[in-house]
Amino acid sequence: MKFLFKLILLLTMTVPALAQMGFKTEQLKFERVRTAYAGKWPALQKELQVAGITSTFEMYMAAYKAEGKLELWLKTDRQKTYRLFKSYDFCAHSGTLGPKVKEGDLQTPEGFYYINAFNPMSNFYLSLGINYPNAVDRLRSGKEKTGGDIYIHGNCVTVGCIPLTDEKIKEVYVLAVEAKNAGQLKIPVHIFPFKMTNSNLNKQLQRFPQQKGLWANLQSGYVYFEQHKLLPEVSIKAGRYLFH
């Protein structure tokens, strides 16, 4: 009976891991992913080695709307903290500072999310879906339709997404596939209105005083990562983010 229990426990732990390891194989069945790997992976591997990343890694993405930047941070099991690996410029913008509230408002969300979809046949070359709306977004929107389909994608058009060029999304997509294939179930994507220093916050609140509550909440998560170079555990309660 003990043997059977141990066998079931082992299978419970192993089967999801094996399924995860097959993710890259499944993705490589798509021509655009194969093209991305052929064109970008050899050079990325060299850059990873220079950065001291010689084994599998976890990835974290931070996006800053005002600066128009998407940062990729990586960490291996041997490293205690995340290290900035690459930064990419948005190639188009829509909306203004402040969160997405309703469908069709052209706003890019602001908050704490994760990648929930890999689309190798996107209308925008390759795309990575973000799990917007979350509970904070839904409460903010009230009776309004929140909208959805927020992606990091190729091409240079946007109505609220984070657009990169096709060449840049190839790199981001390949790195995300590598992270997921190595076992990272959720790749965090934290979207901020700007680099949330006190000076930037005070400056922007003069223009957008109605965002004080949200932005002060977002700043807590921003500061945690800046101080520790580790991700806080994020939970949601009563329409606010909590960090542990």
PDB file of all heavy atoms in Angstrom, residues 61-99:
ATOM      1  N   MET A  61       8.786  39.787 -16.672  1.00  0.00           N
ATOM      2  CA  MET A  61       8.713  40.937 -17.565  1.00  0.00           C
ATOM      3  C   MET A  61       8.120  42.131 -16.825  1.00  0.00           C
ATOM      4  O   MET A  61       7.114  41.998 -16.116  1.00  0.00           O
ATOM      5  CB  MET A  61       7.847  40.640 -18.783  1.00  0.00           C
ATOM      6  CG  MET A  61       8.329  39.493 -19.627  1.00  0.00           C
ATOM      7  SD  MET A  61       7.403  39.415 -21.189  1.00  0.00           S
ATOM      8  CE  MET A  61       7.390  37.647 -21.450  1.00  0.00           C
ATOM      9  N   ALA A  62       8.734  43.283 -16.998  1.00  0.00           N
ATOM     10  CA  ALA A  62       8.224  44.538 -16.453  1.00  0.00           C
ATOM     11  C   ALA A  62       8.030  45.512 -17.605  1.00  0.00           C
ATOM     12  O   ALA A  62       8.948  45.733 -18.399  1.00  0.00           O
ATOM     13  CB  ALA A  62       9.184  45.120 -15.423  1.00  0.00           C
ATOM     14  N   ALA A  63       6.840  46.074 -17.719  1.00  0.00           N
ATOM     15  CA  ALA A  63       6.531  47.022 -18.788  1.00  0.00           C
ATOM     16  C   ALA A  63       6.259  48.394 -18.185  1.00  0.00           C
ATOM     17  O   ALA A  63       5.577  48.506 -17.151  1.00  0.00           O
ATOM     18  CB  ALA A  63       5.320  46.549 -19.587  1.00  0.00           C
ATOM     19  N   TYR A  64       6.772  49.419 -18.833  1.00  0.00           N
ATOM     20  CA  TYR A  64       6.608  50.803 -18.380  1.00  0.00           C
ATOM     21  C   TYR A  64       6.018  51.627 -19.518  1.00  0.00           C
ATOM     22  O   TYR A  64       6.660  51.827 -20.548  1.00  0.00           O
ATOM     23  CB  TYR A  64       7.957  51.375 -17.933  1.00  0.00           C
ATOM     24  CG  TYR A  64       8.581  50.595 -16.804  1.00  0.00           C
ATOM     25  CD1 TYR A  64       9.522  49.597 -17.056  1.00  0.00           C
ATOM     26  CD2 TYR A  64       8.196  50.822 -15.487  1.00  0.00           C
ATOM     27  CE1 TYR A  64      10.076  48.867 -16.013  1.00  0.00           C
ATOM     28  CE2 TYR A  64       8.742  50.084 -14.443  1.00  0.00           C
ATOM     29  CZ  TYR A  64       9.680  49.116 -14.715  1.00  0.00           C
ATOM     30  OH  TYR A  64      10.215  48.379 -13.691  1.00  0.00           O
ATOM     31  N   LYS A  65       4.800  52.105 -19.306  1.00  0.00           N
ATOM     32  CA  LYS A  65       4.071  52.749 -20.388  1.00  0.00           C
ATOM     33  C   LYS A  65       4.685  54.092 -20.792  1.00  0.00           C
ATOM     34  O   LYS A  65       4.869  54.354 -21.982  1.00  0.00           O
ATOM     35  CB  LYS A  65       2.600  52.918 -19.985  1.00  0.00           C
ATOM     36  CG  LYS A  65       1.850  51.593 -19.910  1.00  0.00           C
ATOM     37  CD  LYS A  65       0.524  51.681 -19.183  1.00  0.00           C
ATOM     38  CE  LYS A  65      -0.430  52.686 -19.773  1.00  0.00           C
ATOM     39  NZ  LYS A  65      -1.764  52.627 -19.131  1.00  0.00           N
ATOM     40  N   ALA A  66       4.979  54.950 -19.836  1.00  0.00           N
ATOM     41  CA  ALA A  66       5.511  56.273 -20.166  1.00  0.00           C
ATOM     42  C   ALA A  66       6.853  56.173 -20.871  1.00  0.00           C
ATOM     43  O   ALA A  66       7.131  56.907 -21.826  1.00  0.00           O
ATOM     44  CB  ALA A  66       5.646  57.125 -18.904  1.00  0.00           C
ATOM     45  N   GLU A  67       7.693  55.256 -20.402  1.00  0.00           N
ATOM     46  CA  GLU A  67       9.010  55.071 -21.018  1.00  0.00           C
ATOM     47  C   GLU A  67       8.939  54.232 -22.289  1.00  0.00           C
ATOM     48  O   GLU A  67       9.883  54.228 -23.085  1.00  0.00           O
ATOM     49  CB  GLU A  67       9.961  54.404 -20.023  1.00  0.00           C
ATOM     50  CG  GLU A  67      10.351  55.267 -18.828  1.00  0.00           C
ATOM     51  CD  GLU A  67       9.317  55.237 -17.700  1.00  0.00           C
ATOM     52  OE1 GLU A  67       8.257  54.593 -17.865  1.00  0.00           O
ATOM     53  OE2 GLU A  67       9.568  55.852 -16.658  1.00  0.00           O
ATOM     54  N   GLY A  68       7.845  53.517 -22.474  1.00  0.00           N
ATOM     55  CA  GLY A  68       7.706  52.652 -23.644  1.00  0.00           C
ATOM     56  C   GLY A  68       8.729  51.534 -23.652  1.00  0.00           C
ATOM     57  O   GLY A  68       9.299  51.198 -24.694  1.00  0.00           O
ATOM     58  N   LYS A  69       8.958  50.910 -22.487  1.00  0.00           N
ATOM     59  CA  LYS A  69       9.977  49.880 -22.357  1.00  0.00           C
ATOM     60  C   LYS A  69       9.383  48.576 -21.836  1.00  0.00           C
ATOM     61  O   LYS A  69       8.513  48.579 -20.952  1.00  0.00           O
ATOM     62  CB  LYS A  69      11.070  50.325 -21.380  1.00  0.00           C
ATOM     63  CG  LYS A  69      11.870  51.552 -21.813  1.00  0.00           C
ATOM     64  CD  LYS A  69      12.848  51.219 -22.925  1.00  0.00           C
ATOM     65  CE  LYS A  69      13.738  52.417 -23.255  1.00  0.00           C
ATOM     66  NZ  LYS A  69      14.677  52.111 -24.354  1.00  0.00           N
ATOM     67  N   LEU A  70       9.873  47.461 -22.372  1.00  0.00           N
ATOM     68  CA  LEU A  70       9.582  46.140 -21.837  1.00  0.00           C
ATOM     69  C   LEU A  70      10.906  45.527 -21.406  1.00  0.00           C
ATOM     70  O   LEU A  70      11.785  45.299 -22.234  1.00  0.00           O
ATOM     71  CB  LEU A  70       8.911  45.253 -22.888  1.00  0.00           C
ATOM     72  CG  LEU A  70       8.613  43.815 -22.437  1.00  0.00           C
ATOM     73  CD1 LEU A  70       7.491  43.794 -21.402  1.00  0.00           C
ATOM     74  CD2 LEU A  70       8.262  42.921 -23.618  1.00  0.00           C
ATOM     75  N   GLU A  71      11.038  45.261 -20.099  1.00  0.00           N
ATOM     76  CA  GLU A  71      12.273  44.686 -19.568  1.00  0.00           C
ATOM     77  C   GLU A  71      12.099  43.195 -19.342  1.00  0.00           C
ATOM     78  O   GLU A  71      11.066  42.742 -18.829  1.00  0.00           O
ATOM     79  CB  GLU A  71      12.636  45.349 -18.240  1.00  0.00           C
ATOM     80  CG  GLU A  71      12.997  46.819 -18.357  1.00  0.00           C
ATOM     81  CD  GLU A  71      13.331  47.442 -17.014  1.00  0.00           C
ATOM     82  OE1 GLU A  71      13.057  46.817 -15.970  1.00  0.00           O
ATOM     83  OE2 GLU A  71      13.872  48.565 -17.019  1.00  0.00           O
ATOM     84  N   LEU A  72      13.128  42.428 -19.670  1.00  0.00           N
ATOM     85  CA  LEU A  72      13.158  40.985 -19.416  1.00  0.00           C
ATOM     86  C   LEU A  72      14.214  40.696 -18.359  1.00  0.00           C
ATOM     87  O   LEU A  72      15.400  40.990 -18.546  1.00  0.00           O
ATOM     88  CB  LEU A  72      13.486  40.212 -20.695  1.00  0.00           C
ATOM     89  CG  LEU A  72      12.311  39.731 -21.546  1.00  0.00           C
ATOM     90  CD1 LEU A  72      11.405  40.886 -21.946  1.00  0.00           C
ATOM     91  CD2 LEU A  72      12.804  38.982 -22.760  1.00  0.00           C
ATOM     92  N   TRP A  73      13.762  40.145 -17.246  1.00  0.00           N
ATOM     93  CA  TRP A  73      14.635  39.773 -16.144  1.00  0.00           C
ATOM     94  C   TRP A  73      14.682  38.253 -16.042  1.00  0.00           C
ATOM     95  O   TRP A  73      13.642  37.594 -16.143  1.00  0.00           O
ATOM     96  CB  TRP A  73      14.109  40.355 -14.834  1.00  0.00           C
ATOM     97  CG  TRP A  73      14.129  41.860 -14.767  1.00  0.00           C
ATOM     98  CD1 TRP A  73      13.272  42.720 -15.394  1.00  0.00           C
ATOM     99  CD2 TRP A  73      15.040  42.669 -14.039  1.00  0.00           C
ATOM    100  NE1 TRP A  73      13.592  44.020 -15.093  1.00  0.00           N
ATOM    101  CE2 TRP A  73      14.676  44.025 -14.259  1.00  0.00           C
ATOM    102  CE3 TRP A  73      16.129  42.380 -13.209  1.00  0.00           C
ATOM    103  CZ2 TRP A  73      15.363  45.081 -13.677  1.00  0.00           C
ATOM    104  CZ3 TRP A  73      16.817  43.436 -12.628  1.00  0.00           C
ATOM    105  CH2 TRP A  73      16.440  44.775 -12.860  1.00  0.00           C
ATOM    106  N   LEU A  74      15.859  37.699 -15.824  1.00  0.00           N
ATOM    107  CA  LEU A  74      16.025  36.259 -15.768  1.00  0.00           C
ATOM    108  C   LEU A  74      16.726  35.840 -14.474  1.00  0.00           C
ATOM    109  O   LEU A  74      17.512  36.610 -13.904  1.00  0.00           O
ATOM    110  CB  LEU A  74      16.851  35.754 -16.960  1.00  0.00           C
ATOM    111  CG  LEU A  74      16.372  36.141 -18.364  1.00  0.00           C
ATOM    112  CD1 LEU A  74      17.308  35.547 -19.413  1.00  0.00           C
ATOM    113  CD2 LEU A  74      14.941  35.703 -18.616  1.00  0.00           C
ATOM    114  N   LYS A  75      16.438  34.601 -14.047  1.00  0.00           N
ATOM    115  CA  LYS A  75      17.096  34.053 -12.857  1.00  0.00           C
ATOM    116  C   LYS A  75      17.191  32.537 -12.981  1.00  0.00           C
ATOM    117  O   LYS A  75      16.207  31.879 -13.307  1.00  0.00           O
ATOM    118  CB  LYS A  75      16.314  34.408 -11.586  1.00  0.00           C
ATOM    119  CG  LYS A  75      16.994  33.957 -10.292  1.00  0.00           C
ATOM    120  CD  LYS A  75      16.197  34.384  -9.069  1.00  0.00           C
ATOM    121  CE  LYS A  75      15.064  33.436  -8.803  1.00  0.00           C
ATOM    122  NZ  LYS A  75      15.558  32.092  -8.359  1.00  0.00           N
ATOM    123  N   THR A  76      18.374  31.991 -12.738  1.00  0.00           N
ATOM    124  CA  THR A  76      18.548  30.539 -12.707  1.00  0.00           C
ATOM    125  C   THR A  76      18.410  30.054 -11.267  1.00  0.00           C
ATOM    126  O   THR A  76      18.382  30.854 -10.321  1.00  0.00           O
ATOM    127  CB  THR A  76      19.925  30.125 -13.246  1.00  0.00           C
ATOM    128  OG1 THR A  76      20.931  30.531 -12.298  1.00  0.00           O
ATOM    129  CG2 THR A  76      20.215  30.765 -14.594  1.00  0.00           C
ATOM    130  N   ASP A  77      18.363  28.746 -11.089  1.00  0.00           N
ATOM    131  CA  ASP A  77      18.288  28.169  -9.743  1.00  0.00           C
ATOM    132  C   ASP A  77      19.528  28.500  -8.926  1.00  0.00           C
ATOM    133  O   ASP A  77      19.481  28.520  -7.690  1.00  0.00           O
ATOM    134  CB  ASP A  77      18.128  26.641  -9.823  1.00  0.00           C
ATOM    135  CG  ASP A  77      16.747  26.236 -10.307  1.00  0.00           C
ATOM    136  OD1 ASP A  77      15.821  27.076 -10.224  1.00  0.00           O
ATOM    137  OD2 ASP A  77      16.594  25.091 -10.768  1.00  0.00           O
ATOM    138  N   ARG A  78      20.643  28.756  -9.600  1.00  0.00           N
ATOM    139  CA  ARG A  78      21.899  29.026  -8.902  1.00  0.00           C
ATOM    140  C   ARG A  78      22.044  30.491  -8.507  1.00  0.00           C
ATOM    141  O   ARG A  78      22.954  30.844  -7.756  1.00  0.00           O
ATOM    142  CB  ARG A  78      23.078  28.619  -9.789  1.00  0.00           C
ATOM    143  CG  ARG A  78      23.094  27.130 -10.138  1.00  0.00           C
ATOM    144  CD  ARG A  78      24.184  26.831 -11.143  1.00  0.00           C
ATOM    145  NE  ARG A  78      24.155  25.433 -11.572  1.00  0.00           N
ATOM    146  CZ  ARG A  78      24.918  24.934 -12.533  1.00  0.00           C
ATOM    147  NH1 ARG A  78      25.785  25.715 -13.160  1.00  0.00           N
ATOM    148  NH2 ARG A  78      24.814  23.652 -12.866  1.00  0.00           N
ATOM    149  N   GLN A  79      21.185  31.325  -9.042  1.00  0.00           N
ATOM    150  CA  GLN A  79      21.265  32.758  -8.759  1.00  0.00           C
ATOM    151  C   GLN A  79      20.239  33.151  -7.704  1.00  0.00           C
ATOM    152  O   GLN A  79      19.093  32.708  -7.748  1.00  0.00           O
ATOM    153  CB  GLN A  79      21.042  33.558 -10.047  1.00  0.00           C
ATOM    154  CG  GLN A  79      22.135  33.331 -11.084  1.00  0.00           C
ATOM    155  CD  GLN A  79      21.806  33.944 -12.437  1.00  0.00           C
ATOM    156  OE1 GLN A  79      20.640  34.048 -12.810  1.00  0.00           O
ATOM    157  NE2 GLN A  79      22.830  34.330 -13.181  1.00  0.00           N
ATOM    158  N   LYS A  80      20.632  33.990  -6.793  1.00  0.00           N
ATOM    159  CA  LYS A  80      19.744  34.384  -5.698  1.00  0.00           C
ATOM    160  C   LYS A  80      18.724  35.435  -6.138  1.00  0.00           C
ATOM    161  O   LYS A  80      17.651  35.551  -5.538  1.00  0.00           O
ATOM    162  CB  LYS A  80      20.566  34.917  -4.525  1.00  0.00           C
ATOM    163  CG  LYS A  80      21.432  33.850  -3.855  1.00  0.00           C
ATOM    164  CD  LYS A  80      22.178  34.427  -2.677  1.00  0.00           C
ATOM    165  CE  LYS A  80      23.002  33.357  -1.983  1.00  0.00           C
ATOM    166  NZ  LYS A  80      23.756  33.896  -0.818  1.00  0.00           N
ATOM    167  N   THR A  81      19.070  36.222  -7.140  1.00  0.00           N
ATOM    168  CA  THR A  81      18.190  37.323  -7.548  1.00  0.00           C
ATOM    169  C   THR A  81      18.048  37.367  -9.067  1.00  0.00           C
ATOM    170  O   THR A  81      18.843  36.773  -9.799  1.00  0.00           O
ATOM    171  CB  THR A  81      18.751  38.674  -7.071  1.00  0.00           C
ATOM    172  OG1 THR A  81      20.068  38.857  -7.618  1.00  0.00           O
ATOM    173  CG2 THR A  81      18.821  38.739  -5.555  1.00  0.00           C
ATOM    174  N   TYR A  82      17.033  38.097  -9.515  1.00  0.00           N
ATOM    175  CA  TYR A  82      16.836  38.327 -10.946  1.00  0.00           C
ATOM    176  C   TYR A  82      17.855  39.337 -11.457  1.00  0.00           C
ATOM    177  O   TYR A  82      18.275  40.250 -10.723  1.00  0.00           O
ATOM    178  CB  TYR A  82      15.437  38.867 -11.217  1.00  0.00           C
ATOM    179  CG  TYR A  82      14.363  37.801 -11.247  1.00  0.00           C
ATOM    180  CD1 TYR A  82      13.708  37.410 -10.084  1.00  0.00           C
ATOM    181  CD2 TYR A  82      13.991  37.195 -12.446  1.00  0.00           C
ATOM    182  CE1 TYR A  82      12.719  36.433 -10.107  1.00  0.00           C
ATOM    183  CE2 TYR A  82      13.010  36.223 -12.485  1.00  0.00           C
ATOM    184  CZ  TYR A  82      12.385  35.846 -11.318  1.00  0.00           C
ATOM    185  OH  TYR A  82      11.418  34.875 -11.351  1.00  0.00           O
ATOM    186  N   ARG A  83      18.226  39.166 -12.715  1.00  0.00           N
ATOM    187  CA  ARG A  83      19.131  40.109 -13.371  1.00  0.00           C
ATOM    188  C   ARG A  83      18.504  40.584 -14.675  1.00  0.00           C
ATOM    189  O   ARG A  83      17.908  39.788 -15.406  1.00  0.00           O
ATOM    190  CB  ARG A  83      20.479  39.435 -13.662  1.00  0.00           C
ATOM    191  CG  ARG A  83      21.194  38.921 -12.419  1.00  0.00           C
ATOM    192  CD  ARG A  83      22.492  38.213 -12.771  1.00  0.00           C
ATOM    193  NE  ARG A  83      23.116  37.607 -11.598  1.00  0.00           N
ATOM    194  CZ  ARG A  83      24.256  36.933 -11.616  1.00  0.00           C
ATOM    195  NH1 ARG A  83      24.907  36.769 -12.768  1.00  0.00           N
ATOM    196  NH2 ARG A  83      24.755  36.413 -10.511  1.00  0.00           N
ATOM    197  N   LEU A  84      18.647  41.869 -14.960  1.00  0.00           N
ATOM    198  CA  LEU A  84      18.109  42.416 -16.205  1.00  0.00           C
ATOM    199  C   LEU A  84      18.884  41.826 -17.377  1.00  0.00           C
ATOM    200  O   LEU A  84      20.113  41.942 -17.439  1.00  0.00           O
ATOM    201  CB  LEU A  84      18.224  43.942 -16.206  1.00  0.00           C
ATOM    202  CG  LEU A  84      17.682  44.639 -17.459  1.00  0.00           C
ATOM    203  CD1 LEU A  84      16.191  44.380 -17.649  1.00  0.00           C
ATOM    204  CD2 LEU A  84      17.956  46.139 -17.388  1.00  0.00           C
ATOM    205  N   PHE A  85      18.163  41.218 -18.315  1.00  0.00           N
ATOM    206  CA  PHE A  85      18.810  40.609 -19.471  1.00  0.00           C
ATOM    207  C   PHE A  85      18.691  41.489 -20.709  1.00  0.00           C
ATOM    208  O   PHE A  85      19.682  41.785 -21.363  1.00  0.00           O
ATOM    209  CB  PHE A  85      18.206  39.232 -19.742  1.00  0.00           C
ATOM    210  CG  PHE A  85      18.796  38.534 -20.942  1.00  0.00           C
ATOM    211  CD1 PHE A  85      20.144  38.250 -20.988  1.00  0.00           C
ATOM    212  CD2 PHE A  85      17.990  38.178 -22.016  1.00  0.00           C
ATOM    213  CE1 PHE A  85      20.703  37.616 -22.102  1.00  0.00           C
ATOM    214  CE2 PHE A  85      18.531  37.547 -23.127  1.00  0.00           C
ATOM    215  CZ  PHE A  85      19.890  37.264 -23.177  1.00  0.00           C
ATOM    216  N   LYS A  86      17.493  41.932 -21.033  1.00  0.00           N
ATOM    217  CA  LYS A  86      17.318  42.761 -22.222  1.00  0.00           C
ATOM    218  C   LYS A  86      16.163  43.723 -22.003  1.00  0.00           C
ATOM    219  O   LYS A  86      15.269  43.483 -21.179  1.00  0.00           O
ATOM    220  CB  LYS A  86      17.035  41.914 -23.469  1.00  0.00           C
ATOM    221  CG  LYS A  86      18.127  40.933 -23.816  1.00  0.00           C
ATOM    222  CD  LYS A  86      18.074  40.491 -25.267  1.00  0.00           C
ATOM    223  CE  LYS A  86      18.746  41.469 -26.178  1.00  0.00           C
ATOM    224  NZ  LYS A  86      18.945  40.960 -27.555  1.00  0.00           N
ATOM    225  N   SER A  87      16.175  44.806 -22.747  1.00  0.00           N
ATOM    226  CA  SER A  87      15.094  45.789 -22.708  1.00  0.00           C
ATOM    227  C   SER A  87      14.680  46.105 -24.139  1.00  0.00           C
ATOM    228  O   SER A  87      15.534  46.271 -25.017  1.00  0.00           O
ATOM    229  CB  SER A  87      15.561  47.064 -21.996  1.00  0.00           C
ATOM    230  OG  SER A  87      14.527  48.017 -21.950  1.00  0.00           O
ATOM    231  N   TYR A  88      13.386  46.171 -24.371  1.00  0.00           N
ATOM    232  CA  TYR A  88      12.854  46.406 -25.711  1.00  0.00           C
ATOM    233  C   TYR A  88      11.943  47.632 -25.709  1.00  0.00           C
ATOM    234  O   TYR A  88      11.184  47.844 -24.756  1.00  0.00           O
ATOM    235  CB  TYR A  88      12.036  45.198 -26.187  1.00  0.00           C
ATOM    236  CG  TYR A  88      12.812  43.909 -26.253  1.00  0.00           C
ATOM    237  CD1 TYR A  88      12.892  43.061 -25.153  1.00  0.00           C
ATOM    238  CD2 TYR A  88      13.479  43.522 -27.418  1.00  0.00           C
ATOM    239  CE1 TYR A  88      13.597  41.872 -25.199  1.00  0.00           C
ATOM    240  CE2 TYR A  88      14.187  42.330 -27.482  1.00  0.00           C
ATOM    241  CZ  TYR A  88      14.249  41.514 -26.367  1.00  0.00           C
ATOM    242  OH  TYR A  88      14.955  40.343 -26.420  1.00  0.00           O
ATOM    243  N   ASP A  89      12.011  48.402 -26.784  1.00  0.00           N
ATOM    244  CA  ASP A  89      11.124  49.554 -26.933  1.00  0.00           C
ATOM    245  C   ASP A  89       9.779  49.129 -27.500  1.00  0.00           C
ATOM    246  O   ASP A  89       9.721  48.310 -28.425  1.00  0.00           O
ATOM    247  CB  ASP A  89      11.740  50.593 -27.881  1.00  0.00           C
ATOM    248  CG  ASP A  89      12.984  51.243 -27.296  1.00  0.00           C
ATOM    249  OD1 ASP A  89      13.078  51.352 -26.054  1.00  0.00           O
ATOM    250  OD2 ASP A  89      13.860  51.640 -28.086  1.00  0.00           O
ATOM    251  N   PHE A  90       8.688  49.687 -26.952  1.00  0.00           N
ATOM    252  CA  PHE A  90       7.397  49.572 -27.631  1.00  0.00           C
ATOM    253  C   PHE A  90       7.562  50.231 -28.998  1.00  0.00           C
ATOM    254  O   PHE A  90       8.272  51.218 -29.138  1.00  0.00           O
ATOM    255  CB  PHE A  90       6.303  50.341 -26.899  1.00  0.00           C
ATOM    256  CG  PHE A  90       5.978  49.870 -25.506  1.00  0.00           C
ATOM    257  CD1 PHE A  90       6.717  48.897 -24.849  1.00  0.00           C
ATOM    258  CD2 PHE A  90       4.905  50.435 -24.823  1.00  0.00           C
ATOM    259  CE1 PHE A  90       6.398  48.490 -23.564  1.00  0.00           C
ATOM    260  CE2 PHE A  90       4.577  50.037 -23.534  1.00  0.00           C
ATOM    261  CZ  PHE A  90       5.332  49.068 -22.893  1.00  0.00           C
ATOM    262  N   CYS A  91       6.871  49.716 -30.009  1.00  0.00           N
ATOM    263  CA  CYS A  91       6.978  50.379 -31.318  1.00  0.00           C
ATOM    264  C   CYS A  91       5.699  51.138 -31.676  1.00  0.00           C
ATOM    265  O   CYS A  91       5.595  51.687 -32.778  1.00  0.00           O
ATOM    266  CB  CYS A  91       7.354  49.389 -32.419  1.00  0.00           C
ATOM    267  SG  CYS A  91       6.137  48.110 -32.750  1.00  0.00           S
ATOM    268  N   ALA A  92       4.741  51.196 -30.768  1.00  0.00           N
ATOM    269  CA  ALA A  92       3.536  52.012 -30.937  1.00  0.00           C
ATOM    270  C   ALA A  92       2.900  52.185 -29.568  1.00  0.00           C
ATOM    271  O   ALA A  92       3.174  51.417 -28.634  1.00  0.00           O
ATOM    272  CB  ALA A  92       2.558  51.369 -31.918  1.00  0.00           C
ATOM    273  N   HIS A  93       2.055  53.194 -29.435  1.00  0.00           N
ATOM    274  CA  HIS A  93       1.376  53.468 -28.173  1.00  0.00           C
ATOM    275  C   HIS A  93      -0.094  53.776 -28.446  1.00  0.00           C
ATOM    276  O   HIS A  93      -0.461  54.235 -29.530  1.00  0.00           O
ATOM    277  CB  HIS A  93       2.005  54.683 -27.473  1.00  0.00           C
ATOM    278  CG  HIS A  93       3.438  54.498 -27.094  1.00  0.00           C
ATOM    279  ND1 HIS A  93       3.838  54.127 -25.838  1.00  0.00           N
ATOM    280  CD2 HIS A  93       4.577  54.637 -27.825  1.00  0.00           C
ATOM    281  CE1 HIS A  93       5.158  54.046 -25.795  1.00  0.00           C
ATOM    282  NE2 HIS A  93       5.636  54.345 -26.992  1.00  0.00           N
ATOM    283  N   SER A  94      -0.925  53.540 -27.424  1.00  0.00           N
ATOM    284  CA  SER A  94      -2.321  53.977 -27.508  1.00  0.00           C
ATOM    285  C   SER A  94      -2.775  54.394 -26.130  1.00  0.00           C
ATOM    286  O   SER A  94      -2.201  53.983 -25.116  1.00  0.00           O
ATOM    287  CB  SER A  94      -3.221  52.863 -28.047  1.00  0.00           C
ATOM    288  OG  SER A  94      -3.373  51.815 -27.107  1.00  0.00           O
ATOM    289  N   GLY A  95      -3.797  55.230 -26.073  1.00  0.00           N
ATOM    290  CA  GLY A  95      -4.316  55.667 -24.792  1.00  0.00           C
ATOM    291  C   GLY A  95      -3.355  56.599 -24.075  1.00  0.00           C
ATOM    292  O   GLY A  95      -2.483  57.224 -24.671  1.00  0.00           O
ATOM    293  N   THR A  96      -3.521  56.672 -22.760  1.00  0.00           N
ATOM    294  CA  THR A  96      -2.702  57.554 -21.937  1.00  0.00           C
ATOM    295  C   THR A  96      -2.344  56.820 -20.654  1.00  0.00           C
ATOM    296  O   THR A  96      -2.597  55.621 -20.530  1.00  0.00           O
ATOM    297  CB  THR A  96      -3.465  58.865 -21.644  1.00  0.00           C
ATOM    298  OG1 THR A  96      -2.609  59.752 -20.911  1.00  0.00           O
ATOM    299  CG2 THR A  96      -4.735  58.599 -20.840  1.00  0.00           C
ATOM    300  N   LEU A  97      -1.742  57.510 -19.704  1.00  0.00           N
ATOM    301  CA  LEU A  97      -1.447  56.874 -18.422  1.00  0.00           C
ATOM    302  C   LEU A  97      -2.748  56.634 -17.669  1.00  0.00           C
ATOM    303  O   LEU A  97      -3.717  57.369 -17.823  1.00  0.00           O
ATOM    304  CB  LEU A  97      -0.505  57.748 -17.598  1.00  0.00           C
ATOM    305  CG  LEU A  97       0.880  58.003 -18.196  1.00  0.00           C
ATOM    306  CD1 LEU A  97       1.754  58.754 -17.200  1.00  0.00           C
ATOM    307  CD2 LEU A  97       1.560  56.707 -18.621  1.00  0.00           C
ATOM    308  N   GLY A  98      -2.733  55.587 -16.837  1.00  0.00           N
ATOM    309  CA  GLY A  98      -3.951  55.178 -16.153  1.00  0.00           C
ATOM    310  C   GLY A  98      -4.382  53.808 -16.647  1.00  0.00           C
ATOM    311  O   GLY A  98      -4.030  53.392 -17.754  1.00  0.00           O
ATOM    312  N   PRO A  99      -5.137  53.074 -15.833  1.00  0.00           N
ATOM    313  CA  PRO A  99      -5.471  51.691 -16.152  1.00  0.00           C
ATOM    314  C   PRO A  99      -6.514  51.567 -17.250  1.00  0.00           C
ATOM    315  O   PRO A  99      -7.190  52.540 -17.605  1.00  0.00           O
ATOM    316  CB  PRO A  99      -6.044  51.174 -14.825  1.00  0.00           C
ATOM    317  CG  PRO A  99      -6.700  52.387 -14.235  1.00  0.00           C
ATOM    318  CD  PRO A  99      -5.774  53.533 -14.577  1.00  0.00           C
TER     319      PRO A  99
END
